[in-house]
Amino acid sequence: LTTSIDDNGEEYFLMINTAKAPFDDVRVRKALALATDRQGYYDLFNTGEGRMADQMFTPDSPYFNADVKQEGNDPEAAAALVAEYCGENPVDDAGVAQCTDGKVNMEYQWSGPSVIATRIADFYNENWKASFNVTFDEQNQQMHIQEAALGVYNVVGWRQFGAENPGDDRVWL
């Protein structure tokens, strides 16, 4: 038996809706990244295989940008950004609570039913619960794609960027 691992395929990542509160504020987006244990995710779900991704391109790609680095694994810095945001934005313009008990209110959506995607959601929640009040929304794939396309989400677990030529992903980009 020979196992061949090709880590040039699709990435599973978080797609954040930056068009609406609370993620229209860069501090909340950065806090979510900082609150996420990237190494823990990689160790648990990738079991040490392949490379940890910082972007949609692998180092072998001519499109790779070595200056792009994902932040993470800093829950204290995340908490500071959330405290600042919640102090200034307890509610949005429509009067909807953006924060409760000093934490940002958010929804995390994924496509299911999927045991692995549910475990990923649980993993994220463990990372985020110190700074975020997370509501789960598991959708069938059709609804998941539709809501993502229409912007009816805060944060979704998303799979994409398997094309060798980035132009092939242009519909989604």
Side-chain angles (χ1 to χ4, degrees):
L1 177 67
T2 302
T3 302
S4 177
I5 296 173
D6 178 4
D7 62 359
N8 290 314
E10 291 184 327
E11 295 294 336
Y12 187 83
F13 58 95
L14 299 174
M15 186 164 63
I16 299 172
N17 187 347
T18 62
K20 67 180 195 178
F23 291 99
D24 59 344
D25 190 299
V26 68
R27 294 172 295 183
V28 180
R29 297 191 301 269
K30 186 170 184 170
L32 190 70
L34 291 169
T36 303
D37 180 0
R38 295 183 70 239
Q39 187 66 49
Y41 179 97
Y42 174 77
D43 293 343
L44 183 61
F45 296 105
N46 291 55
T47 62
E49 299 293 339
R51 296 175 274 200
M52 191 182 307
D54 282 309
Q55 58 187 280
M56 65 186 269
F57 305 112
T58 61
D60 314 6
S61 169
Y63 308 106
F64 179 78
N65 181 345
D67 295 332
V68 174
K69 296 290 182 198
Q70 288 291 328
E71 294 182 287
N73 303 71
D74 193 346
E76 293 80 19
L81 289 169
V82 165
E84 184 180 311
Y85 174 81
C86 288
E88 296 173 14
N89 302 282
V91 296
D92 66 11
D93 294 336
V96 176
Q98 295 303 299
C99 299
T100 304
D101 298 328
K103 299 178 187 182
V104 172
N105 299 327
M106 65 168 280
E107 178 186 87
Y108 175 68
Q109 182 190 112
W110 70 94
S111 176
S114 166
V115 172
I116 191 70
T118 300
R119 288 185 177 157
I120 290 170
D122 290 338
F123 176 83
Y124 285 147
N125 191 47
E126 281 299 310
N127 290 202
W128 300 338
K129 69 182 180 183
S131 295
F132 294 87
N133 297 310
V134 183
T135 302
F136 287 155
D137 185 19
E138 181 180 50
Q139 295 279 348
N140 67 51
Q141 188 165 3
Q142 178 182 346
M143 286 303 297
H144 179 64
I145 292 170
Q146 181 177 324
E147 289 194 358
L150 295 174
V152 184
Y153 68 94
N154 280 145
V155 178
V156 295
W158 199 253
R159 213 175 54 242
Q160 192 173 333
F161 304 126
E164 289 183 30
N165 176 354
D168 294 343
D169 281 317
R170 71 185 172 279
V171 170
W172 290 106
L173 293 173

